[in-house]
Amino acid sequence: AQSVTQPDIHITVSEGASLELRCNYSYGATPYLFWYVQSPGQGLQLLLKYFSGDTLVQGIKGFEAEFKRSQSSFNLRKPSVHWSDAAEYFCAVGDVSGGGADGLTFGKGTHLIIQP
Amino acid sequence: GAVVSQHPSRVICKSGTSVKIECRSLDFQATTMFWYRQFPKKSLMLMATSNEGSKATYEQGVEKDKFLINHASLTLSTLTVTSAHPEDSSFYICSALGTDTQYFGPGTRLTVL
C-alpha cells in the first residue's frame, strides 16, 4: 500500500525567508505526486503536480518541487515566503495504474507559520 | 476554471437523523468524484469513489450503508450520512476529477449532537 510522510507537523519561517517542506512517499513505482494547500474556509488548492518528465516542477504562487526517485521524496520549495503563504500544506500520491482516476493518499500535512 | 462547490458548508444535527451533503462541479463535467473525511490535525482519508451512473466504491472500513453516495449526474454527487452519531462529526470534503487532477470542494463541517 502506498503511504506519504510529511515529517514536519509545524514549520515557522520568517517572511521573506526561503521555505522547504518535506515529503516522502512509499510506493512500488513512480507515483503521481501532488502538493495541495489548504487555507481556513477554503478548499484544497493544487500547487503543482508531477506525473513524469522533468523532475523539477514549477507550480503556482512561486512554488516548485523536486522529485528525487533515489530518496522517494517530493519536497516543496519557495525562495521567499509571504505572509499569505501561511496555511496547511499537504503532499499526496496517486496510483499510476489508475491513470490518475483513483483517490489520493495524503500525508498528515505541515502547518506553515509565517513570522513578520 | 475547475471550481467545485459543497453545500452546506456547516451542518448541525441531532443524533439519529440523516444529513445530505452535495458536491457540485460548477464548470466542468466529472465522471468521477471522491469523498474524503478529515479529522482534526489529520490528513484526508479517502472514503469512497463515486462514478456517475454506477455504484460507489468504498474504502475498507467505511460503512456503505451509513454513508450513502449517489452520483446521478456529471456535475453532482451527494453523500448522505444516515442515522448520524457524534462519532460521525467531522469535516467532509469532496473532489471532482478533471482531466488528470482532482479539484476539491471547500468542505462541510458536520456536527452531530
Side-chain angles (χ1 to χ4, degrees):
Chain A
Q2 56 205 37
S3 65
V4 179
T5 301
Q6 292 181 246
D8 304 305
I9 298 174
H10 300 277
I11 281 190
T12 300
V13 178
S14 297
E15 189 169 16
S18 63
L19 169 71
E20 182 169 33
L21 302 183
R22 295 183 290 166
C23 172
N24 293 95
Y25 66 88
S26 174
Y27 187 73
T30 299
Y32 293 150
L33 295 159
F34 305 83
W35 274 99
Y36 285 89
V37 60
Q38 185 181 36
S39 299
Q42 299 185 24
L44 276 77
Q45 182 181 23
L46 179 68
L47 289 175
L48 46 79
K49 61 187 178 185
Y50 174 79
F51 284 4
S52 64
D54 192 344
T55 56
L56 184 62
V57 180
Q58 301 298 321
I60 63 171
K61 302 184 178 185
F63 286 94
E64 67 178 25
E66 186 171 12
F67 167 60
K68 293 186 177 180
R69 185 192 308 273
S70 61
Q71 299 176 20
S72 297
S73 68
F74 189 56
N75 294 347
L76 181 71
R77 300 193 294 250
K78 186 170 184 178
S80 176
V81 298
H82 186 263
W83 64 267
S84 60
D85 292 325
E88 193 80 21
Y89 290 79
F90 291 94
C91 180
V93 301
D95 193 341
V96 173
S97 65
D102 291 336
L104 300 179
T105 299
F106 283 84
K108 291 189 175 182
T110 297
H111 185 62
L112 177 62
I113 300 167
I114 307 296
Q115 279 185 337
Chain B
V3 178
V4 177
S5 70
Q6 278 185 246
H7 179 80
S9 57
R10 291 177 179 270
V11 58
I12 301 172
C13 70
K14 292 182 179 179
S15 186
T17 61
S18 295
V19 174
K20 179 184 284 188
I21 302 170
E22 293 186 348
C23 176
R24 294 181 185 274
S25 56
L26 299 184
D27 51 2
F28 67 105
Q29 293 184 327
T31 305
T32 303
M33 290 184 173
F34 302 90
W35 287 95
Y36 294 83
R37 183 172 177 174
Q38 186 177 32
F39 295 93
K41 308 297 183 185
K42 299 287 187 182
S43 66
L44 283 74
M45 300 293 293
L46 179 66
M47 297 175 65
T49 302
S50 167
N51 290 299
E52 187 265 338
S54 64
K55 289 184 178 180
T57 303
Y58 291 81
E59 295 299 301
Q60 191 172 13
V62 177
E63 299 176 60
K64 62 180 181 181
D65 294 331
K66 169 171 263 308
F67 298 101
L68 300 180
I69 292 172
N70 183 277
H71 193 161
S73 78
L74 289 173
T75 60
L76 173 65
S77 176
T78 60
L79 169 68
T80 301
V81 183
T82 62
S83 186
H85 291 283
E87 58 265 29
D88 299 322
S89 298
S90 193
F91 195 55
Y92 293 88
I93 303 175
C94 74
S95 70
L97 183 64
T99 304
D100 54 19
T101 299
Q102 292 184 35
Y103 298 95
F104 286 81
T108 296
R109 172 76 60 193
L110 170 63
T111 303
V112 185
L113 303 177

